Amino acid sequence: MSAPQSRERSIILNENGWSVRVLDQRGLPWRIEWVELTTVAAAARAISEMWVRGAPLIGATAAYGLCLALRADASDAALERGMALLLGTRPTAVNLRWALERVRASAQPHQDDARVAAAYRCAALICDEDVNSCRAIGDHGLELIRAVAAQGRTVNVLTHCNAGALATVDYGTALAPIYRAQELGIAVHVWVDETRPRNQGALLTAYELNRARIPHTVITDNAGGLLMQRGEVDLCLVGADRVSRNGDVCNKIGTYLKALAAHDNGVPFYVALPLSTYDGSLASGSEIPIEERDPAEVILISGELPGGEPGTLRLTRSAAANPAFDITPARLVTGYVTDRGILRHASEWAALTMRALQRNTR
Ligand code: MRU
């Protein structure tokens, strides 16, 4: 078996020191195309049209988007315009606002070129921190996989959507422990929910796992319950787009149903996330804005036609609805795999964020 292919970061500052390149995820796995973002408008379009997606990568792209806005015009007015444009791209992942507020806070005290330079430093830091956070999530989550592997068998993990390297700057959140397990030679097999309607599981997670040579099987979104009843899932490991103060988890539509099935079958259900995905300003998940996307995403299915060329088919002539995320109540979550360790209860968030805040302000 050949060695796994090495990955690049999902967003890279170009050699010119100011534009960034991102992988256009819409073409995966059929087409690998990097695009250069040179304006704030292009960054906003890349986020809203999902060339890039996944909470941490949305934040990183927005951070550089604000840098591009300031490079064109470093005034206060341009800063606010850039913020508003980028904030309006997607409503659910809190990393977007988190990253933009960080860049604004670091740029605001400066003027002109110094302001632009401060913004770029902050965006680079956000990216580096994300890589480190994801590695730490991998280390902490590894313990869950090790515990099952100690029984002397392949560990079966079920995941939903794509919470891998493509959803972050590198490594991923839910997939990071799986990558770590593979590095250590622990046998893991991943059940990959296809994740209708945009099929991030079948298209992106499967692509990542293929590249890393990690055994996996794509299943329909409805299959997980049966697999859990049959004892074929050791643990569920999913990502998050926002977690509220009481521990409710907002993630890709369909996550909630997996959590219900896991609860009913005694399968541990873990959510992996960096601190940047925690929103302590919201008391519960019911306050999290759920993105409603174009019904065309439900009606039309894209993929590879029998001849090998990409194509799109119409599934139905009926009306369709497309809520993109759902809320999993905290009571269904076994634990949160964070970059600072595994939390078992929502009440631990407050202490954790306070410690992180103290560390950053010291
Ligand atoms: O709509 P997307 O593809 O941006 O949504 C991303 C997700 O919901 C991911 O599954 C993930 O769990 C959160 S990002 C690590």
Side-chain angles (χ1 to χ4, degrees), residues 25 47 50 52-58 90 93 95 160-164 167-168 172-174 195 198 200 204 238-242 250-253 255 272-274 277 291 293 324-325:
Q25 298 187 20
I47 298 170
M50 291 176 68
V52 294
R53 24 73 44 211
L57 183 59
I58 288 172
R90 295 195 69 190
N95 305 58
H160 191 71
C161 195
N162 171 258
T168 61
T173 54
T195 318
R198 288 190 66 116
Q200 289 97 326
L204 305 179
V238 302
D241 293 84
R242 201 186 292 223
C250 182
N251 193 49
K252 181 54 58 191
I253 192 79
T255 304
L273 69 151
T277 301
E291 180 177 17
R293 293 191 60 87
F325 299 90

